[in-house]
Structure formats: C-alpha cells, structure tokens
Amino acid sequence: MTSHTPERLRALYARWSELWRGDFSHAEEILDPGLVVHQARPDGSDSEAVTGPGRLLPEIEQTMAAFDDITITVDIGPIVDGDLISARWTLRAAYAGGIPQATAPTGTRISFSGNDILRVRDGRFVEYWTCTDILDGLSQLGAISGPNGPARH
C-alpha cells in the first residue's frame, strides 16, 4: 500500500479483526511473510523466533480451540499514525476446556482485554506488538492466582 491513508489503514485493521474471528481466507494478503510478533509470552518463549502467518495463525487457532461463543469488540480505535495502527479490544467467550491448570468448568464466561499496535508496509502487516491481559483471563479460569482471587485446585 503506497498510500497509508487513515481510511485504508482502518479498513486493513477490519480485515485483521476478521482473522481473530476465524476467517483466514485473506491471511496471506494482509500478513507479510516476515511478520514479526513482539509479545511477552507466559511460557517465556521467544515470540520473534518464528515469523509470518505461520507464527500468528496457530496462536489464533489455539485461542479459538480454548473458547466458544467468542466475541471481540474494538473498544478504542483503530487509531492511525503514519504507518501504525493501534486499538484496544476486549474478548468475551465461554471456556471450552484444554488450558493447563484451569479449574473452571467448561462454559465459564470470561473476558479480558488487550492493546495492539501494528506496522504496515505495502498493504501488509509487518510488525505486531500486543499487550494482552491474559493473566486476568487465566485467573478467571482458576489457572493462576491473580487479581480475581487464588487459583482453585
């Protein structure tokens, strides 16, 4: 994309949001093969070790496998500044099972929020910084101690 107009970047962010709702049909169009994900990972792994769609799409699939009835709302944004797009979002879902140490029964409703910053070059996302309050989500599932109380074992 040679023109980073705010309208074009907001439209591109809408397509990004579709990925997180399970529509991967345009992933190769909007994700650069060298996409780098900058993310603090609870398991301590290097989020930048694998790049491109092969790094991001499995993470989306894992999220979709652990939850049913997923809704993602964009609470703030997308805000556009040059080649950067940022947004604050909230995920609401029902727990489907499979998260280690989770003690919550399947069907438990949870919500957690996060912030994304994405860099665009030539109409594709090339960098992704995310800060997700996954600790809040895990504490709601009883998988860790946290602000909503101790882990239940």
Side-chain angles (χ1 to χ4, degrees), residues 23-46:
D23 180 358
F24 294 174
S25 64
H26 55 279
E28 299 293 328
E29 292 174 40
I30 69 168
L31 301 177
D32 190 84
L35 170 73
V36 176
V37 177
H38 307 281
Q39 176 186 42
R41 306 215 16 111
D43 64 2
S45 63
D46 181 2

Side-chain angles (χ1 to χ4, degrees), residues 23-128:
D23 180 358
F24 294 174
S25 64
H26 55 279
E28 299 293 328
E29 292 174 40
I30 69 168
L31 301 177
D32 190 84
L35 170 73
V36 176
V37 177
H38 307 281
Q39 176 186 42
R41 306 215 16 111
D43 64 2
S45 63
D46 181 2
S47 72
E48 300 173 21
V50 177
T51 61
R55 161 62 181 90
L56 183 66
L57 299 181
E59 185 168 324
I60 296 171
E61 289 171 333
Q62 289 172 356
T63 300
M64 295 178 70
F67 299 102
D68 291 321
D69 192 26
I70 296 172
T71 60
I72 301 171
T73 56
V74 177
D75 306 318
I76 300 172
I79 299 167
V80 174
D81 183 10
D83 63 350
L84 297 171
I85 305 169
S86 65
R88 169 118 176 128
W89 51 265
T90 300
L91 180 141
R92 293 173 182 81
Y95 179 52
I99 295 179
Q101 279 86 45
T103 59
T106 58
T108 298
R109 301 290 307 173
I110 72 156
S111 69
F112 57 89
S113 297
N115 299 299
D116 294 337
I117 301 172
L118 298 124
R119 182 180 308 281
V120 176
R121 183 175 58 237
D122 299 325
R124 290 182 171 180
F125 294 108
V126 295
E127 285 188 276
Y128 171 40

